[in-house]
């Protein structure tokens, strides 16, 4: 009769301490498995992880790269939060990102020599490009949102299909209307007065990360502190309760689709104006999907999403460095990355159980968070 | 509590059971006996520790200390496997059936024949038929569970236990989901099983059911047993007092009152249910100020659609809703709220509240616009004050505005929802199944509040499947059957038999249909 037994909890635990512990446990488990995978290469896992950490976070230059990668992830993560917390199961962020990238390129091309905006100062250009790009993204996702709110139905398939349309649209644009003179299907290089300024000397970090943080603050206020946010969240939690509370579920979901598209378009904008400085085919690289994962890792909370995005970006940057320095294939780190995601998401189940001592011994149940 | 030997020794006994959960002692040195062939009720308010005790007996929870005796012998019972071997079976409040499987598949699931990989469904079905014939539990072995009504699903659960040769059947709140007819049917079966020598434990907090079905009652409060009595030697009032720990009135005191002018009028209202079938058929009703109009009826006869149609939440196919003489049929639910028409839905957990949000966010559902500043931000201090006032006035426990609504007990959640609607000072309240699943203490609060609202001149439409509630609260009673109003009678002139007949579809002899 003595021993331990696993009991289901009445309610999942939600204290921040146990959540932190569970997350930590998942990450450690993934790192351990990754360490085992490094053995055949004769590498020292501790050293390899240290190099990875150093490259992604501990050097000024590396951390700059991390922030560059994090900015679009945060934008897409915020877009996911707005859509999903309203119950709009949108998956078309990759498409919105591309539309935003194309819109930003087009706007910046108006500042090329001879065009209307030639020589425009950056502080005037920035609000213009934000407006154009967010609007285009919002319209793009709004198409799906409109059909959802008007006719119901499933937005998963339509939003995925729209991604392909956006990919081909960019291919079309760079091979035709926006194509620069030359052999490659790319747009002209954008004028330097439209580039996002670098933040520090010796680092690639650009204004995009600041924009992402401002966006985070705005989304946080909107979602958690405003009336509209309350209506969005209630709609997402339970449309029946929302209708009962006098909330128009259709218009709220439409609004969520606009927000999602606008934010995801900003991801494309910061990539174009901060990194590529021209429109190229294949620039999304799945950011529109990784951003969803980042949002989920952050438990659909804006602050959590920022943390998850920076950690994820740092791992990616570090993986490249590790490959160069330790001679380990980056695929090991990609496996670790995927395992972290898998474990963190799956570890949610641990919140529903507790381990307790059973048997007639006069002991109080032991509280464990896992 | 000494064993009463005249009735034979207990077949199953729990001795000094202690079970602690973090923060609560769910069972505090509990003794409990069930005899062969008896129906034993386990009574207690929500959270008293009934389910925990029964789950210990069924081996689902480990215990911190205490013994389990079967036929006087201390037994090692540490898992459900042990419990089943000892002839113990339990039906949980939420059924544990695989909804897409057939009846027979569900019944044999989990009974491993260790030597074989295959199961003989046909043989099992035959045995099942035999069992169901023997005990008057009619089911078709090949039916798919999800297509069966709740009452039949419950029969499947019982058969599952009998198939495993259970001698002790534990039913946790078995009637919470049943219609009165299904309940009556269940009781017939339980009596039959007891007469065949099975022991039965029925967990409940409904006093009238205990009086009707049980031989003995054990009463629990705050994790302790506070009494074990023979039902025949007790009465409802005594049981209620033991359960709650103080005197409770099971009768609502209500002064006669002259109703005022008609406020809420329904004219030929028809509506569809969620599946698009006609659920409400030309309903005409008038609720006056200062009056409670009760709508009695067996669940699923159009009650939800009636409430939904009034608030324009259901799809209305015809007729009108007049509020103070004005046609409000097609106004949005928000506009209904603003006019002063409040609605307390039957589904507290999924319509009336949002379990994932704290009390203070639930307190403003439906009136959140009043708590937003001109620039669209929520005014947290104002919301906090309002939530505090609501908690204070309606005695919601715990007194913590940041507590998640989903963690509130049913009674406290209902106080939150009713309180929220009452605090907006509406002119009329539509309230659906207000005390379903609540314990006596909470029922008292809800009833008192509804009568206070009526006395304050509000028009109240009370939709309830509990006749006791209707007779206690309503000034007039309308009976709904298959979406039609079968008749309206004054409560002072109505009898339970007459209302019962109308609920079964018989028209009222002097059916006027019109109010008064
Ligand atoms: N798995 C659990 N974890 C933590 N507390 C629990 C658990 N199950 C029940 N409790 C607590 O134990 C007490 C008794 O609960 P329960 O046995 O379900 O009461 P009842 O069935 O009489 O309503 C309550 O305070 C409840 O919150
Ligand atoms: Mg219970």
């Amino acid at each position: 009769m003595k021993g331990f037994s696993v009991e289901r909890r009445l309610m999942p635990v939600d204290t921040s301490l146990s959540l932190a512990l569970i997350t930590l446990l998942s990450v450690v488990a993934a790192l351990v498995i990754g360490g085992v995978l490094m053995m055949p290469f004769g590498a020292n896992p501790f050293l390899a992880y240290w190099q990875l950490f150093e490259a992604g976070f501990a050097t000024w230059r590396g951390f700059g790269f991390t922030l560059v990668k994090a900015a679009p992830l945060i934008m897409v993560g915020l877009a996911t939060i707005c859509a999903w917390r309203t119950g709009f199961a949108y998956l078309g962020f990759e498409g919105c990102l591309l539309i935003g990238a194309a819109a930003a390129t087009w706007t910046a091309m108006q500042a090329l020599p001879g065009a209307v905006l030639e020589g425009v100062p950056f502080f005037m250009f920035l609000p213009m490009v934000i407006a154009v790009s967010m609007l285009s993204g919002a319209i793009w996702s709004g198409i799906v949102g409109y059909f959802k709110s008007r006719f119901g139905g499933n937005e998963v398939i339509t939003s995925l299909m729209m991604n392909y349309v956006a990919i081909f649209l960019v291919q079309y644009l760079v091979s035709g209307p926006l194509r620069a003179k030359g052999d490659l299907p790319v747009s002209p290089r954008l004028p330097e007065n439209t580039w996002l300024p670098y933040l520090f000397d010796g680092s690639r970090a650009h204004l995009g990360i600041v924009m992402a943080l401002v966006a985070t603050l705005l989304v946080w206020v909107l979602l958690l502190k405003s009336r509209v946010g309350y209506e969005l969240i209630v709609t997402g939690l339970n449309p029946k309760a929302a209708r009962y509370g006098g909330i128009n579920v259709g218009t709220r979901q439409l609004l969520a689709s606009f927000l999602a598209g606008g934010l995801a378009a900003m991801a494309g904008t910061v990539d174009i104006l901060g990194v590529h400085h021209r429109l190229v085919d294949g620039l999304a690289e799945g950011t529109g999907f990784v951003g969803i994962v980042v949002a989920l890792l952050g438990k659909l909370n804006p602050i959590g999403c920022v943390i998850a995005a920076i950690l994820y970006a740092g791992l990616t940057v570090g993986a490249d460095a590790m490959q160069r320095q330790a001679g380990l294939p980056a695929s090991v780190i990609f496996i670790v990355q995927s395992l972290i995601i898998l474990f963190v998401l799956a570890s949610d189940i641990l919140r529903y159980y507790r381990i307790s001592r059973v048997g007639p011994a006069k002991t109080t149940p032991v509280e464990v968070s896992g | 509590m000494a064993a009463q030997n005249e009735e034979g020794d207990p077949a199953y006994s729990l001795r000094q059971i202690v079970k602690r959960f973090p923060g609560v002692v769910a069972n505090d040195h509990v003794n409990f006996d069930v005899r062969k062939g008896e129906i034993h009720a386990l009574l207690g308010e929500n959270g008293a520790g009934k389910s925990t005790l029964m789950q210990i007996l069924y081996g689902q929870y480990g215990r911190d200390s205490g013994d389990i005796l079967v036929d006087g012998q201390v037994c090692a019972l540490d898992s459900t496997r042990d419990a089943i071997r000892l002839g113990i079976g339990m039906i949980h409040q939420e059924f544990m059936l695989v909804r897409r499987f057939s009846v027979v598949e569900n019944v044999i699931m989990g009974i491993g024949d260790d030597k074989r990989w295959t199961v003989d469904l046909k043989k099992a079905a035959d045995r099942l038929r035999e069992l169901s014939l023997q005990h008057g539990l009619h089911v078709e072995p090949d039916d798919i569970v999800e297509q069966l009504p709740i009452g039949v699903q419950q029969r499947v659960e019982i058969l599952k236990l009998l198939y495993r040769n259970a001698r002790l059947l534990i039913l946790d709140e078995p009637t919470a989901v049943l219609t009165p007819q299904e309940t009556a049917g269940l009781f017939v079966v339980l009596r039959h099983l007891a007469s065949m020598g099975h022991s039965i434990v029925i967990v409940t907090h409904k006093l009238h059911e205990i009086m009707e079905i049980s031989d003995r009652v054990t009463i629990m409060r705050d994790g302790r047993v506070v009494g074990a009595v023979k039902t025949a030697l007790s009465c409802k009032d005594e049981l209620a007092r033991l359960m709650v720990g103080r005197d409770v009135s099971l009768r609502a005191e209500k002064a006669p009152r002259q109703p005022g002018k008609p406020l809420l009028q329904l004219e030929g209202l028809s509506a569809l249910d969620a599946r698009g079938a006609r659920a409400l058929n030309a309903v005409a009703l008038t609720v006056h100020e200062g009056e409670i109009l009760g709508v009695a009826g067996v669940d699923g006869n159009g009650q939800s659609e009636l409430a939904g149609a009034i608030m324009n939440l259901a799809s209305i196919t015809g007729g009108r809703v007049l509020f103070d003489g004005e046609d409000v049929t097609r106004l949005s639910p928000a506009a209904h709220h603003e006019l002063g028409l409040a609605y307390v839905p039957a589904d507290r957990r999924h319509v009336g509240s949002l379990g994932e949000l704290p009390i203070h966010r639930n307190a403003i559902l439906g009136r959140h616009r009043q708590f937003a500043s001109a620039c669209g931000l929520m005014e947290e201090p104002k919301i906090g004050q309002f939530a505090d006032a609501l908690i204070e006035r309606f005695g919601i426990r715990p007194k913590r505005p940041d507590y998640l609504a989903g963690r509130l007990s049913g009674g406290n959640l209902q106080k939150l929802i009713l309180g929220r609607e009452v605090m907006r000072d509406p002119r009329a309240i539509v309230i659906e199944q207000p005390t379903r699943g609540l314990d006596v203490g909470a029922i008292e609060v809800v009833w008192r509040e509804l009568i206070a609202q009526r006395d304050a001149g509000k028009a109240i439409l009370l939709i309830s499947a509990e006749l006791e509630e209707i007779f206690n609260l309503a000034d007039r009673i309308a009976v709904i059957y298959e979406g039609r109003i079968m008749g309206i009678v004054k409560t002072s002139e109505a009898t339970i038999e007459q209302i019962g007949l109308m609920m079964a579809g018989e028209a009222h002899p002097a059916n006027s249909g019109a109010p008064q």
Side-chain angles (χ1 to χ4, degrees):
Chain A
M1 282 189 77
K2 273 140 247 148
F4 293 94
S5 83
V6 176
E7 269 174 11
R8 201 178 161 83
R9 287 171 191 268
L10 206 53
M11 287 281 175
V13 275
D14 55 5
T15 60
S16 13
L17 179 66
S18 33
L19 290 185
L21 271 175
I22 289 175
T23 311
L24 197 69
L25 205 75
S26 317
V27 174
V28 169
L31 291 181
V32 169
I33 296 180
V36 171
L37 292 179
M38 289 174 193
M39 299 297 189
F41 297 93
N44 175 348
F46 294 100
L47 192 66
Y49 281 131
W50 166 249
Q51 284 168 349
L52 178 141
F53 173 78
E54 197 179 24
F57 301 100
T59 67
W60 199 227
R61 203 180 123 78
F63 191 56
F65 282 124
T66 298
L67 293 183
V68 168
K69 282 217 184 299
L73 286 180
I74 294 174
M75 295 289 195
V76 174
L78 294 174
T80 311
I81 292 172
C82 288
W84 288 21
R85 289 193 81 168
T86 312
F88 180 57
Y90 191 65
L91 293 174
F93 305 107
E94 188 96 342
C96 295
L97 183 151
L98 290 172
I99 295 300
T105 307
W106 178 81
T107 315
M109 279 169 67
Q110 308 311 308
L112 285 171
V116 277
L117 292 179
E118 183 182 353
V120 63
F122 179 75
F123 75 89
M124 279 175 64
F125 170 74
L126 187 63
M128 274 191 260
V129 71
I130 291 178
V132 173
S133 134
M134 286 190 79
L135 196 67
S136 328
I139 292 173
W140 187 258
S141 59
I143 299 171
V144 177
Y146 174 77
F147 281 104
K148 161 90 175 171
S149 71
R150 187 81 177 71
F151 306 106
N154 191 327
E155 63 272 27
V156 171
I157 309 283
T158 39
S159 58
L160 278 176
M161 297 317 291
M162 292 281 281
N163 284 338
Y164 291 100
V165 182
I167 290 171
F168 294 128
L169 195 65
V170 168
Q171 281 177 4
Y172 164 79
L173 288 176
V174 292
S175 50
L178 299 184
R179 181 173 183 155
K181 286 188 198 70
D183 297 334
L184 293 170
V186 292
S187 80
R189 189 177 157 87
L190 302 174
E192 280 193 31
N193 57 334
T194 66
W195 293 9
L196 295 180
Y198 296 113
L199 294 180
F200 316 102
D201 286 336
S203 158
R204 286 272 161 178
H206 55 70
L207 193 66
I209 185 70
V210 178
M211 293 163 68
L213 293 179
V214 170
T216 307
L217 186 70
L218 291 179
V219 167
W220 183 79
V221 170
L222 175 85
L223 219 51
L224 299 171
K225 294 290 151 196
S226 81
R227 194 198 98 185
V228 172
Y230 177 77
E231 297 183 351
L232 293 177
I233 287 181
V234 170
T235 301
L237 285 176
N238 186 341
K240 269 192 193 162
R243 255 176 235 118
Y244 162 74
I247 295 166
N248 188 329
V249 170
T251 61
R252 289 299 155 237
Q253 285 182 337
L254 190 60
L255 177 66
S257 75
F258 288 152
L259 284 170
L263 284 163
M266 284 310 295
T269 305
V270 298
D271 261 357
I272 289 292
L273 301 182
V275 181
H276 304 287
H277 303 140
R278 60 170 20 131
L279 190 62
V280 289
D281 183 19
L283 95 168
E285 291 179 315
T287 305
F289 291 100
V290 178
I292 298 176
V293 173
V294 160
L296 286 175
L297 288 178
K299 306 275 182 229
L300 293 184
N301 175 300
I303 316 287
C305 156
V306 171
I307 298 171
I310 292 178
L311 291 180
Y312 191 96
L315 276 185
T316 314
V317 172
D320 294 339
M322 204 182 68
Q323 183 169 20
R324 272 179 273 116
Q325 293 174 15
L328 281 169
S331 55
V332 172
I333 286 312
F334 296 137
I335 293 177
V336 173
Q337 242 176 2
S338 318
L339 286 177
I340 291 178
I341 296 167
L342 194 69
F343 288 171
V344 170
L345 296 183
S347 68
D348 203 53
I349 190 82
L350 294 181
R351 296 171 50 223
Y352 289 83
Y353 292 90
R354 90 162 69 74
I355 297 174
S356 75
R357 290 275 288 276
V358 293
K362 288 248 186 282
T363 47
T364 42
V366 191
E367 254 283 33
V368 200
S369 357
Chain B
M1 181 186 55
Q4 295 153 310
N5 272 322
E6 64 204 81
E7 301 189 42
D9 289 324
Y12 293 90
S13 304
L14 294 165
R15 286 282 164 269
Q16 298 292 317
I17 299 289
V18 177
K19 174 72 184 175
R20 293 189 193 85
F21 286 119
V24 280
V25 186
N27 291 154
D28 186 0
H29 296 92
V30 172
N31 293 324
F32 182 77
D33 296 297
V34 198
R35 301 201 171 84
K36 195 164 184 293
E38 84 168 342
I39 301 184
H40 194 124
L42 182 57
L43 173 69
E45 292 204 289
N46 286 325
K50 309 178 296 290
S51 299
T52 305
L53 186 67
M54 290 301 110
Q55 274 161 291
I56 287 173
L57 180 53
Y58 189 46
Q60 273 179 315
Y61 278 160
R63 51 194 185 276
D64 297 346
S65 66
D67 292 320
I68 297 175
L69 284 70
V70 178
D71 296 327
Q73 300 286 316
V74 176
C75 287
L77 196 163
D78 298 313
S79 64
T80 35
R81 193 179 262 272
D82 293 343
I84 291 169
R85 190 171 40 79
L86 292 167
I88 303 170
M90 177 161 176
I91 301 178
H92 295 81
Q93 200 165 336
E94 283 104 40
F95 298 159
M96 309 255 171
L97 298 173
V98 180
R99 296 175 50 75
R100 288 177 181 281
F101 279 15
S102 74
V103 170
V104 59
E105 283 166 339
N106 266 288
V107 166
I108 62 166
M109 195 167 23
I111 316 180
D113 184 343
D114 293 337
K115 286 174 207 78
R116 290 174 49 196
W117 288 91
T118 54
V119 288
D120 190 344
L121 274 183
K122 198 163 140 0
K123 212 170 96 204
D126 288 343
R127 166 127 192 263
L128 191 60
R129 276 204 195 85
E130 200 178 299
L131 274 175
S132 70
L133 216 61
Q134 189 183 346
H135 296 289
L137 286 158
H138 183 74
V139 293
E140 269 308 316
D142 297 328
D143 283 351
I144 301 297
V145 163
E146 70 180 348
Q147 293 163 357
L148 299 174
I150 294 286
V152 180
Q153 291 187 20
Q154 192 170 51
R155 271 183 236 157
V156 177
E157 287 273 21
I158 295 177
L159 280 167
K160 201 163 127 187
L161 302 190
L162 296 175
Y163 196 94
R164 288 164 173 68
N165 301 313
R167 289 182 291 133
L168 170 66
L169 280 71
I170 305 168
L171 294 91
D172 196 354
E173 314 240 0
T175 60
V177 288
L178 301 186
T179 64
Q181 280 87 342
E182 286 173 330
T183 302
L186 172 69
F187 285 180
V188 171
V189 170
L190 293 185
R191 277 196 206 96
H192 170 79
L193 288 171
S195 73
M196 307 266 298
H198 289 94
S199 307
I200 289 162
V201 176
I202 165 167
V203 178
T204 182
H205 51 234
K206 292 190 188 167
L207 293 169
H208 62 270
E209 292 179 357
I210 290 185
M211 301 311 291
E212 188 184 335
I213 183 92
S214 71
D215 302 314
R216 287 200 306 142
V217 194
T218 296
I219 303 110
M220 287 186 75
R221 190 193 330 139
D222 293 335
R224 269 183 285 256
V225 167
V226 293
V229 294
K230 283 179 91 167
T231 315
L233 302 181
S234 188
C235 64
K236 265 197 197 180
D237 288 312
E238 189 195 354
L239 293 179
R241 191 164 37 74
L242 281 170
M243 169 165 80
V244 186
R246 61 183 164 81
D247 277 313
V248 284
S249 70
L250 297 168
R251 211 132 268 107
E253 306 299 337
K254 185 175 70 157
R257 191 181 192 287
Q258 201 52 47
K261 64 173 169 119
L263 187 63
L264 178 65
Q265 288 164 283
L266 315 183
E267 295 178 351
L269 198 58
S270 300
L272 305 179
D273 65 15
R275 275 170 287 124
R278 165 162 264 213
L280 202 62
N281 210 333
V283 165
L285 289 174
T286 302
V287 197
H288 301 78
E289 287 181 336
E291 162 186 72
I292 298 180
L293 174 63
V295 177
V298 175
D299 256 353
N301 271 288
Q303 285 97 325
S304 298
E305 289 78 13
L306 172 62
I310 295 173
M311 301 305 289
N312 194 12
L313 290 165
S315 54
I316 301 171
T317 51
R320 298 200 301 166
V321 180
L322 301 182
F323 188 74
D324 205 6
E326 194 188 327
D327 188 342
V328 299
T329 322
R330 301 284 166 185
L331 293 187
S332 70
H336 281 82
H337 288 166
E338 263 141 46
L339 283 171
L341 187 58
Y343 171 38
V344 178
D347 192 344
R348 290 191 272 281
R349 300 251 172 226
H350 302 113
V351 180
S353 72
L354 295 139
E356 297 88 342
L357 294 184
I359 290 181
H360 64 79
R361 281 290 188 265
N362 276 283
I364 60 171
L365 182 64
R367 54 187 303 188
H368 55 276
R369 290 174 191 82
Q370 295 163 25
F371 291 93
S373 65
C375 59
L377 293 184
M378 301 304 273
E379 296 177 286
E380 297 297 344
K382 208 169 138 190
I383 295 174
Q385 276 166 18
F386 176 73
D388 284 337
L390 182 65
I391 289 172
E392 201 53 50
R393 180 168 158 198
F394 290 90
I396 297 166
R397 294 289 175 283
K399 291 183 166 187
R400 278 172 41 197
D402 58 348
Y403 199 74
L404 291 189
R407 299 190 166 211
L408 290 173
S409 70
N412 281 302
L413 187 61
Q414 185 69 332
K415 287 185 217 164
L416 168 60
I417 298 171
L418 177 60
R420 172 184 74 207
E421 298 306 314
V422 164
M423 295 266 279
R424 47 202 301 165
D425 198 18
R427 297 178 63 194
I429 302 173
V430 176
I431 186 164
E432 211 187 331
Q433 317 295 0
T435 58
R436 171 164 295 167
L438 302 196
D439 47 45
V440 178
I443 293 178
E444 222 186 351
V445 174
V446 171
W447 282 7
R448 233 190 298 122
E449 188 58 43
L450 286 177
I451 290 173
Q453 291 299 313
R454 158 203 185 252
D455 290 343
K458 313 283 159 76
I460 297 176
L461 185 70
L462 165 71
I463 301 172
S464 176
E466 295 283 346
L467 277 187
E468 205 182 349
E469 178 161 75
I470 296 267
F471 271 87
N472 263 299
L473 296 183
D475 297 296
R476 289 185 301 135
I477 303 174
V479 179
I480 191 165
Y481 175 75
E482 294 194 341
R484 290 173 199 280
I485 298 296
M486 304 305 291
I488 302 174
V489 283
K490 281 195 175 155
T491 310
S492 51
E493 295 161 8
T495 64
I496 301 237
E497 293 72 39
Q498 173 198 22
I499 300 291
L501 280 177
M502 285 158 73
M503 280 166 68
E506 223 159 279
H508 184 244
N511 183 6
S512 58
Q516 258 132 28

